[in-house]
Structure formats: structure tokens, C-alpha cells
Amino acid sequence: MMAGDETVRPRVLLIEDDEAIGQVLMDLLADEGFAVRWARHGREGLDVLARWLPRVILLDLMMPVMDGWAFRAAQRALAGPEAQVPVVVLSGAHEARARAASLDAAAVVTKPFDLDDLLATVHAALAVSPKA
């Protein structure tokens, strides 16, 4: 498998406004063999989703421009396969699990997170994700 060949690597869309967290996750996911695109807020995430179909979305909740709740509502309103992409919520918000319950997320990972646990959660989401 060639490193640049996105046709055989599972695609992950990361929507995260924190530069340091985003860079760590981009590197981690790429090293793990994923094709990754990074959006800095929900509006940018929707733009990426319109042209690049991931198998899993890692979604921060608290972001400028468009937060995670607004992104998820817009994603679920889409008519195509983009609406069915499972979402793993990343959040440092107090009571993140309870606050994310309305999003029908595949999983919630609270910040700060263990990188091995995050990877295991992404792999579990991929197992139930439709092939893109």
C-alpha cells in the first residue's frame, strides 16, 4: 500500500479547533494508516464532507464559527451517504457524555484522552461504518 493512496486507507475527518490537539491527532491517525482531513470548525467540516466522504468523523463540540451540535444537525439533514457517517465526539466540556447524547454519536471521548483509547474508539467506529 502506498502512503498516498487514499483508496485503500480508511478516511477520517477531524473537526477540531485546537491547533495542538489537531496536529497531534493528524500525526497519530496518519501514522496509524488513516487518510485524514482536518477542519478547524463545523462549517469547514461540512465543506470537506461535501467533496470527501470519510468513514468516521472525529468531532469537537465547542468551536467557533459552527460548533459540533450545529455541524451534527447539518450533517444529519444531508440527503446522501454523508448523513450516515458515524461521529466520535471529542470534548473537554463538563458532562460531555450527557451533552453529546442528543447527537446520536457512535462514541464520546473526553479530553484529555489517552491516545490508545482514542485509536481503539476510532477502530470500533470503523467496524460499524458503511464502506466509503
Short mmCIF file of all heavy atoms in Angstrom, two decimals, residues 1-11 29-37 52:
data_model
loop_
_atom_site.label_atom_id
_atom_site.label_comp_id
_atom_site.label_asym_id
_atom_site.label_seq_id
_atom_site.Cartn_x
_atom_site.Cartn_y
_atom_site.Cartn_z
N MET A 1 0.85 -1.18 0.00
CA MET A 1 0.00 0.00 0.00
C MET A 1 0.89 1.23 0.00
O MET A 1 1.76 1.37 0.84
CB MET A 1 -0.91 -0.05 1.23
CG MET A 1 -1.57 1.25 1.56
SD MET A 1 -2.80 1.15 2.88
CE MET A 1 -1.86 0.62 4.28
N MET A 2 0.63 2.13 -0.89
CA MET A 2 1.38 3.37 -0.95
C MET A 2 0.80 4.36 0.04
O MET A 2 -0.40 4.42 0.23
CB MET A 2 1.32 3.96 -2.36
CG MET A 2 2.05 3.12 -3.38
SD MET A 2 1.91 3.79 -5.05
CE MET A 2 2.19 5.51 -4.82
N ALA A 3 1.69 5.12 0.67
CA ALA A 3 1.25 6.05 1.72
C ALA A 3 0.24 7.07 1.20
O ALA A 3 -0.64 7.50 1.92
CB ALA A 3 2.45 6.78 2.32
N GLY A 4 0.33 7.46 -0.05
CA GLY A 4 -0.57 8.47 -0.59
C GLY A 4 -1.84 7.91 -1.19
O GLY A 4 -2.67 8.66 -1.68
N ASP A 5 -2.02 6.61 -1.15
CA ASP A 5 -3.17 6.00 -1.81
C ASP A 5 -4.37 5.99 -0.87
O ASP A 5 -4.53 5.09 -0.06
CB ASP A 5 -2.82 4.59 -2.26
CG ASP A 5 -3.93 3.96 -3.09
OD1 ASP A 5 -4.94 4.62 -3.37
OD2 ASP A 5 -3.79 2.79 -3.44
N GLU A 6 -5.24 7.00 -0.99
CA GLU A 6 -6.41 7.12 -0.11
C GLU A 6 -7.49 6.10 -0.45
O GLU A 6 -8.43 5.94 0.31
CB GLU A 6 -6.98 8.53 -0.18
CG GLU A 6 -6.10 9.56 0.46
CD GLU A 6 -6.77 10.91 0.59
OE1 GLU A 6 -7.99 11.01 0.33
OE2 GLU A 6 -6.09 11.85 0.95
N THR A 7 -7.39 5.43 -1.59
CA THR A 7 -8.45 4.49 -1.96
C THR A 7 -8.46 3.26 -1.08
O THR A 7 -9.48 2.59 -0.98
CB THR A 7 -8.33 4.08 -3.43
OG1 THR A 7 -7.06 3.43 -3.64
CG2 THR A 7 -8.46 5.27 -4.35
N VAL A 8 -7.34 2.93 -0.43
CA VAL A 8 -7.30 1.74 0.41
C VAL A 8 -7.16 2.05 1.89
O VAL A 8 -7.27 1.16 2.71
CB VAL A 8 -6.16 0.78 -0.02
CG1 VAL A 8 -6.45 0.22 -1.40
CG2 VAL A 8 -4.82 1.47 0.00
N ARG A 9 -6.92 3.31 2.23
CA ARG A 9 -6.80 3.69 3.63
C ARG A 9 -8.14 4.24 4.12
O ARG A 9 -8.76 5.05 3.45
CB ARG A 9 -5.72 4.76 3.80
CG ARG A 9 -4.34 4.25 3.39
CD ARG A 9 -3.24 5.22 3.71
NE ARG A 9 -3.49 6.54 3.18
CZ ARG A 9 -2.96 7.65 3.70
NH1 ARG A 9 -2.17 7.59 4.75
NH2 ARG A 9 -3.21 8.82 3.17
N PRO A 10 -8.59 3.81 5.31
CA PRO A 10 -9.83 4.35 5.85
C PRO A 10 -9.72 5.86 6.05
O PRO A 10 -8.71 6.36 6.55
CB PRO A 10 -10.01 3.64 7.18
CG PRO A 10 -9.10 2.46 7.13
CD PRO A 10 -7.98 2.80 6.19
N ARG A 11 -10.78 6.56 5.67
CA ARG A 11 -10.79 8.03 5.75
C ARG A 11 -11.41 8.50 7.06
O ARG A 11 -12.48 8.02 7.46
CB ARG A 11 -11.61 8.60 4.61
CG ARG A 11 -11.00 8.38 3.25
CD ARG A 11 -11.93 8.90 2.19
NE ARG A 11 -11.30 8.92 0.88
CZ ARG A 11 -11.78 9.59 -0.15
NH1 ARG A 11 -12.89 10.30 -0.02
NH2 ARG A 11 -11.15 9.56 -1.29
N LEU A 29 -3.17 9.67 13.58
CA LEU A 29 -4.03 8.95 12.65
C LEU A 29 -3.30 8.61 11.35
O LEU A 29 -3.46 7.51 10.81
CB LEU A 29 -5.30 9.77 12.37
CG LEU A 29 -6.23 9.93 13.57
CD1 LEU A 29 -7.26 11.02 13.32
CD2 LEU A 29 -6.91 8.61 13.93
N ALA A 30 -2.47 9.52 10.86
CA ALA A 30 -1.69 9.24 9.66
C ALA A 30 -0.70 8.10 9.92
O ALA A 30 -0.55 7.19 9.10
CB ALA A 30 -0.96 10.50 9.19
N ASP A 31 -0.04 8.13 11.07
CA ASP A 31 0.89 7.06 11.43
C ASP A 31 0.18 5.73 11.57
O ASP A 31 0.77 4.67 11.33
CB ASP A 31 1.62 7.39 12.74
CG ASP A 31 2.65 8.50 12.60
OD1 ASP A 31 2.97 8.89 11.45
OD2 ASP A 31 3.13 9.00 13.65
N GLU A 32 -1.08 5.77 11.95
CA GLU A 32 -1.88 4.55 12.11
C GLU A 32 -2.39 4.04 10.77
O GLU A 32 -2.99 2.97 10.69
CB GLU A 32 -3.04 4.85 13.07
CG GLU A 32 -3.84 3.66 13.51
CD GLU A 32 -3.11 2.73 14.47
OE1 GLU A 32 -2.05 3.09 15.01
OE2 GLU A 32 -3.64 1.63 14.71
N GLY A 33 -2.18 4.81 9.69
CA GLY A 33 -2.56 4.34 8.36
C GLY A 33 -3.85 4.92 7.82
O GLY A 33 -4.36 4.47 6.80
N PHE A 34 -4.39 5.93 8.49
CA PHE A 34 -5.62 6.57 8.02
C PHE A 34 -5.32 7.70 7.04
O PHE A 34 -4.29 8.36 7.14
CB PHE A 34 -6.41 7.15 9.19
CG PHE A 34 -6.94 6.12 10.15
CD1 PHE A 34 -6.32 5.92 11.37
CD2 PHE A 34 -8.04 5.35 9.82
CE1 PHE A 34 -6.79 4.97 12.26
CE2 PHE A 34 -8.52 4.39 10.69
CZ PHE A 34 -7.89 4.20 11.92
N ALA A 35 -6.23 7.93 6.12
CA ALA A 35 -6.23 9.15 5.31
C ALA A 35 -7.04 10.15 6.11
O ALA A 35 -8.18 9.88 6.48
CB ALA A 35 -6.87 8.88 3.95
N VAL A 36 -6.46 11.31 6.42
CA VAL A 36 -7.11 12.26 7.33
C VAL A 36 -7.21 13.63 6.69
O VAL A 36 -6.28 14.10 6.04
CB VAL A 36 -6.30 12.39 8.65
CG1 VAL A 36 -7.06 13.24 9.65
CG2 VAL A 36 -5.98 11.04 9.23
N ARG A 37 -8.36 14.26 6.88
CA ARG A 37 -8.54 15.68 6.55
C ARG A 37 -8.91 16.37 7.85
O ARG A 37 -9.65 15.83 8.67
CB ARG A 37 -9.67 15.86 5.53
CG ARG A 37 -9.43 15.18 4.21
CD ARG A 37 -8.46 15.97 3.33
NE ARG A 37 -8.01 15.21 2.19
CZ ARG A 37 -8.58 15.17 1.01
NH1 ARG A 37 -9.70 15.85 0.80
NH2 ARG A 37 -8.07 14.46 0.04
N TRP A 52 -15.45 14.99 0.07
CA TRP A 52 -14.57 13.89 0.52
C TRP A 52 -15.33 13.10 1.57
O TRP A 52 -15.60 13.59 2.65
CB TRP A 52 -13.30 14.51 1.11
CG TRP A 52 -12.17 13.58 1.38
CD1 TRP A 52 -11.32 13.04 0.47
CD2 TRP A 52 -11.74 13.11 2.67
NE1 TRP A 52 -10.38 12.27 1.12
CE2 TRP A 52 -10.62 12.30 2.47
CE3 TRP A 52 -12.21 13.31 3.97
CZ2 TRP A 52 -9.94 11.67 3.51
CZ3 TRP A 52 -11.54 12.68 5.01
CH2 TRP A 52 -10.42 11.88 4.77
#
